[in-house]
Structure formats: C-alpha cells, structure tokens
Amino acid sequence: PPGLKRALREDKDVFVRCVTEQMLTYALGRGLEPSDRRAVNTIVAALGRENDRFSALLTEIVKSDPFQKRTTPGESR
C-alpha cells in the first residue's frame, strides 16, 4: 500500500485521466472514440479545479456532450 500511494501521488494526472476515461466508458456503455477526447480533457480540467473530488467527476460526466447525446441500442435520432 505505501508504494501504491506513492505511485498515485507521483502520477496523479495519469491516474485522474485513467479514472475519467474508465468512468466515462462505463457511463456511455461503449468504448471511447476519438471525438470523446475533448470531453475527457474538459472533465479532467474541471476535476483539477474541484480538488479531484469523485462527486465532481460524476457531475462533469453527466454534463458532458457524449453523455447528454448518447443513444440507447435501437433508438434512432
């Protein structure tokens, strides 16, 4: 555990981006596409302003364009 804590602190930006990508993937129910990169960058920036709080991550995902514009299987736009 001490080694893991140290690694997470040293590579915090990488960790935050990875968690953001994984949570957005789960929220969208699909893999990320190149067009989702902008949303990931926006979410990561917002998390930095919010002290990387998990609640901020969830809020930013729900506010993101990919989440707002997602469709369910069989649904047409």
Side-chain angles (χ1 to χ4, degrees):
L4 178 60
K5 277 185 176 182
R6 186 177 63 253
L8 291 177
R9 283 190 193 121
E10 289 172 2
D11 291 331
K12 185 183 102 169
D13 295 337
V14 173
F15 176 74
V16 169
R17 181 168 294 278
C18 181
V19 169
T20 299
E21 290 173 351
Q22 294 301 311
M23 290 297 293
L24 185 58
T25 297
Y26 181 77
L28 297 176
R30 62 167 174 79
L32 296 183
E33 299 172 358
S35 59
D36 297 322
R37 186 70 38 214
R38 184 179 197 187
V40 170
N41 292 340
T42 300
I43 294 167
V44 168
L47 288 176
R49 293 187 299 273
E50 295 290 332
N51 296 318
D52 300 320
R53 289 188 354 252
F54 189 74
S55 60
L57 172 61
L58 299 180
T59 300
E60 293 301 321
I61 286 174
V62 170
K63 290 175 14 182
S64 73
D65 279 346
F67 187 83
Q68 292 288 320
K69 296 176 180 174
R70 73 193 187 288
T71 58
T72 57
E75 179 183 357
S76 61
R77 284 229 162 210

